[in-house]
Every structure is written in C-alpha cells, then in structure tokens.
C-alpha cells in the first residue's frame, strides 16, 4: 500500500529549524545528511519513522540561502493533537509563535489552532477527535 513519506520545505537556518521542530513541536530528529558537492543539507523530523507509517518533514537547507519567497501556493502542514489547547500553551511557553488561538473553525465545530515555524511556514493543529472528519 502506498503512503505519504514526507513533505520537503526549504529553510534558512537548519539548526534553528531542527530546534523548533524538536524542542517546540516535540518531534524527533530522525536523520541528517550533507551533500558538499551540491551544497545542501537535509534533516528529517517527525513523530515516528516512515517505516512505521508516519509522515515526516524534510528540512532542506541550501547553503548560503537564508530566506525564501513563501509564494501563495503552499498552505500549511497539519498535525493532529489530543489537546490543542494545552499544546498551544506548551508551544508558546517554549518560545513558539501561536498565530491563531485554539477554537472552532469559522462556521463549524472542528477545533483548530495555527502556529508558525521560524521560516514562516504555517502549522495547523487539529483536535484529533475531529481530524478524520474534515473541517466543519
């Protein structure tokens, strides 16, 4: 059976991003590599390994590039949480940026929140009891 393995995002400072995703978001650094010939470094972070069915995030640092144009096509990364309210409190306490406080989605019942990583990528937190139902 096919599965989503990872989503790749480009970051301006690999160590800062690893720190955010591990210390603020609670993920594990799964593996890291460098390619000196093509001048890039990769770090894979997630809650578990792809071999166990988990999707992970590939952080790509292109040496010497500190900022990217975010564009308008990418939306967000979604993470299911047991309790988005306490999770947002923990993220804020760890220095993370909560950009939308937890609560019901506009016009619906699904409880969501948004946080932002150091490069400006949006991360949606969805209360797990409603994560599989879709927004509404």
């Amino acid at each position: 059976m096919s599965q989503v393995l990872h989503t790749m995002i480009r970051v301006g400072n690999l160590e800062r991003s690893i720190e955010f995703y591990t210390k603020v978001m609670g993920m594990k650094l799964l593996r890291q590599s460098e390619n000196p010939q093509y001048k890039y470094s990769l770090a894979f972070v997630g809650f578990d390994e792809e071999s166990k069915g988990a999707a992970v995030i590939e952080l790509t640092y292109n040496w010497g590039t500190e900022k990217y144009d975010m564009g308008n096509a990418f939306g967000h990364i979604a993470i299911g949480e047991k309790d988005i309210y306490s999770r947002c409190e923990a993220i804020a306490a760890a220095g993370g940026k909560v950009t939308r406080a937890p609560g019901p989605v506009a016009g619906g019942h699904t409880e969501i929140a948004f946080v932002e990583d150091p490069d400006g990528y949006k991360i949606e937190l969805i209360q797990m009891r409603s994560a599989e139902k879709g927004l509404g």
Side-chain angles (χ1 to χ4, degrees):
M1 181 175 188
S2 301
Q3 81 175 63
V4 175
L5 294 176
H6 65 260
T7 297
M8 185 274 271
I9 57 176
R10 290 181 172 85
V11 300
N13 180 311
L14 188 59
E15 293 308 315
R16 177 186 69 191
S17 293
I18 291 170
E19 184 173 331
F20 172 80
Y21 283 98
T22 58
K23 294 187 177 160
V24 175
M25 295 305 299
M27 295 180 181
K28 299 178 223 171
L29 175 61
L30 302 171
R31 61 189 175 280
Q32 199 169 348
S33 65
E34 288 193 355
N35 187 315
Q37 181 180 359
Y38 292 100
K39 298 182 170 128
Y40 68 86
S41 301
L42 305 177
F44 290 80
V45 295
F47 296 108
D48 212 339
E49 297 281 351
E50 299 99 322
S51 63
K52 295 182 179 176
V56 305
I57 300 172
E58 173 187 339
L59 306 171
T60 298
Y61 172 62
N62 294 298
W63 300 359
T65 304
E66 295 180 15
K67 188 170 170 105
Y68 289 92
D69 176 8
M70 297 301 280
N72 62 3
F74 180 80
H76 61 267
I77 297 166
I79 297 175
E81 294 283 352
K82 184 176 180 180
D83 180 356
I84 63 172
Y85 297 89
S86 63
R87 191 72 183 98
C88 283
E89 287 176 12
I91 288 168
K97 183 177 179 183
V98 177
T99 59
R100 187 219 191 258
V105 68
H109 303 287
T110 304
E111 294 170 286
I112 65 169
F114 274 90
V115 299
E116 189 175 284
D117 87 351
D119 288 284
Y121 290 105
K122 307 295 187 246
I123 302 167
E124 180 182 27
L125 305 178
I126 303 173
Q127 198 79 359
M128 276 305 286
R129 67 176 171 262
S130 57
E132 293 180 348
K133 296 177 186 174
L135 296 181

